[in-house]
Amino acid sequence: MVLPIVAYGDPVLRKVGVEISKDYPDLAKLLDDMFETMEKSKGVGLAAPQINKAIRLFIIDSTRMYDEDEKNDGVREVFINAKMIKETGDDWPYEEGCLSIPNIREDVYRNETIRIQYLDRDFKKQEKEFNGLTARVIQHEYDHIEGKLFIDHLKPLKRSLLKGRLEKISKGNVDVSYKMKFPKK
Ligand code: NI
């Protein structure tokens, strides 16, 4: 089932997510719905706050970001109760977007490599290192479960220039092809 994606301005996007346990109601169905929702909206990641649940859960699929001839072929993975261990390497810019903030893309600087602890879909403990675009997607989604958005990384001037467009998004005054829930509509 495709779930509506919460738009910018909804307080749920600013909440720090709480950890979940293995008996979280209908978790398998929730994960299936999240993957379906992410694919339908052509996203490469989706965090639970974006579907109106302030819990520490996100999914990513960076496989579509890599060309076939590249060595790295991306990652499709579930991250439950994730904890960032460290972020290392040079800051590099990449033009990010967010399904909750449609039609706005801006350069964000982030570290090249991350080390992260999490539980996978089967609640098996994992600790892995990721880099490049996959690390980038994880960093973006990890921000979501901390109540942060990619626009928080922009310089104050740049952010203030986006204010009007962000206000329009929260009112539903935006051209978007997937189902959304707008806080001020
Ligand atoms: Ni996002």
Side-chain angles (χ1 to χ4, degrees):
M1 186 175 73
V2 174
L3 307 167
I5 292 174
V6 169
Y8 175 85
D10 193 303
V12 74
L13 295 176
R14 291 310 190 178
K15 285 188 184 152
V16 177
V18 296
E19 292 197 346
I20 61 168
S21 62
K22 208 171 179 171
D23 50 18
Y24 188 84
D26 296 319
L27 182 60
K29 164 96 168 86
L30 175 64
L31 291 172
D32 289 346
D33 288 349
M34 284 178 73
F35 274 104
E36 199 181 331
T37 303
M38 178 176 71
E39 271 140 33
K40 191 88 183 170
S41 54
K42 296 187 165 47
V44 291
L46 183 68
Q50 295 181 278
I51 47 133
N52 209 17
K53 293 186 187 302
I55 55 175
R56 297 186 79 78
L57 163 65
F58 61 87
I59 60 170
I60 72 153
D61 186 354
S62 63
T63 55
R64 292 196 299 114
M65 302 174 87
Y66 291 93
D67 293 333
E68 278 169 34
D69 56 336
E70 284 182 87
K71 260 186 246 156
N72 194 333
D73 49 13
V75 170
R76 185 179 159 93
E77 178 72 298
V78 170
F79 294 79
I80 296 167
N81 299 345
K83 186 168 175 268
M84 195 68 83
I85 303 299
K86 60 177 179 182
E87 298 179 80
T88 52
D90 291 340
D91 275 5
W92 64 292
Y94 183 78
E95 197 175 62
E96 292 187 24
C98 180
L99 294 173
S100 294
I101 312 174
N103 306 340
I104 293 183
R105 300 190 68 86
E106 295 289 344
D107 270 349
V108 176
Y109 284 80
R110 299 188 194 263
N111 290 105
E112 162 78 18
T113 304
I114 62 163
R115 186 161 192 88
I116 190 167
Q117 236 173 40
Y118 62 98
L119 303 170
D120 64 18
R121 193 178 184 132
D122 304 314
F123 268 75
K124 222 176 106 195
K125 231 186 194 167
Q126 304 282 351
E127 184 174 330
K128 285 187 191 169
E129 204 166 277
F130 298 95
N131 53 58
L133 288 173
T134 298
R136 168 73 57 163
V137 178
I138 294 169
Q139 287 163 316
H140 178 114
E141 301 310 325
Y142 188 83
D143 270 358
H144 275 300
I145 63 166
E146 292 287 319
K148 290 186 208 152
L149 300 168
F150 82 91
I151 51 170
D152 302 346
H153 293 272
L154 305 177
K155 296 223 164 75
L157 176 66
K158 191 128 231 178
R159 258 192 89 165
S160 64
L161 289 173
L162 291 175
K163 227 176 153 191
R165 289 172 71 195
L166 291 170
E167 182 66 16
K168 277 188 182 169
I169 289 171
S170 65
K171 287 177 179 161
N173 189 2
V174 62
D175 187 23
V176 64
S177 60
Y178 46 87
K179 197 165 39 155
M180 289 194 86
K181 174 182 173 279
F182 301 101
K184 294 188 183 170
K185 199 171 179 174

